[in-house]
Amino acid sequence: MLLGLPVSVILLDCIVAAAALVYAPFLVVAYARLQLGYDQAAPRAMFEKLPAYAQRATWAHQNSFETFMLFSAAALMAFVTGVDSEVAGWAAIAFTIARLLFSVFYILNVPLGRSLMFAISSSCTVTLFYFSLMAVNN
């Protein structure tokens, strides 16, 4: 039990939260597009016209898709293999928080913070893969 919840519940909750966080940066992009006058005929052509913060939000959104695929696979592996380690639960929570902060730092143009959050979230994903493989190999 971690935070009063089984690790399995935390893993699944963090997958849902991480999926929602994929789209959080896009809200910033949508705001910028509305400020420019949204061109429904060519929405991708607007990228060059977006302010720098909205361009960074686009990149944060794209990066979130990439990291979500690996995290969700790792968290589902941990769920399926019955990983019950508090470390795995904290890794899932830390991933989710780090990805939120990653997007914030990316949009605000704080490269060191963004890189640190990327490293933390990546290590959390590796941790979940590790615990899953340990569970099936023991």
Side-chain angles (χ1 to χ4, degrees):
M1 296 284 278
L2 178 66
L3 302 174
L5 296 170
V7 172
S8 59
V9 171
I10 290 173
L11 291 168
L12 296 178
D13 286 347
C14 286
I15 291 170
V16 172
L21 287 174
V22 167
Y23 293 96
F26 196 73
L27 296 174
V28 175
V29 177
Y31 172 78
R33 284 181 175 178
L34 289 174
Q35 297 298 310
L36 290 174
Y38 187 74
D39 182 0
Q40 197 166 8
R44 294 187 190 265
M46 293 180 68
F47 181 78
E48 296 299 324
K49 298 175 189 172
L50 292 174
Y53 74 88
Q55 291 178 351
R56 290 189 302 272
T58 300
W59 297 325
H61 173 62
Q62 292 167 346
N63 182 270
S64 294
F65 276 110
E66 297 162 5
T67 58
F68 176 72
M69 288 185 283
L70 291 173
F71 170 72
S72 60
L76 286 172
M77 279 179 61
F79 178 79
V80 169
T81 59
V83 171
D84 194 29
S85 166
E86 284 192 12
V87 174
W90 282 115
I93 292 168
F95 174 90
T96 307
I97 294 168
R99 290 309 300 177
L100 171 64
L101 292 173
F102 173 88
S103 292
V104 170
F105 289 146
Y106 210 147
I107 293 165
L108 295 176
N109 199 23
V110 182
L112 181 60
R114 181 187 80 216
S115 296
L116 181 59
M117 292 305 109
F118 183 83
I120 290 170
S121 62
S122 296
S123 66
C124 292
T125 298
V126 169
T127 299
L128 292 173
F129 278 128
Y130 172 79
F131 275 96
S132 300
L133 292 174
M134 292 305 293
V136 296
N137 287 317
N138 285 334

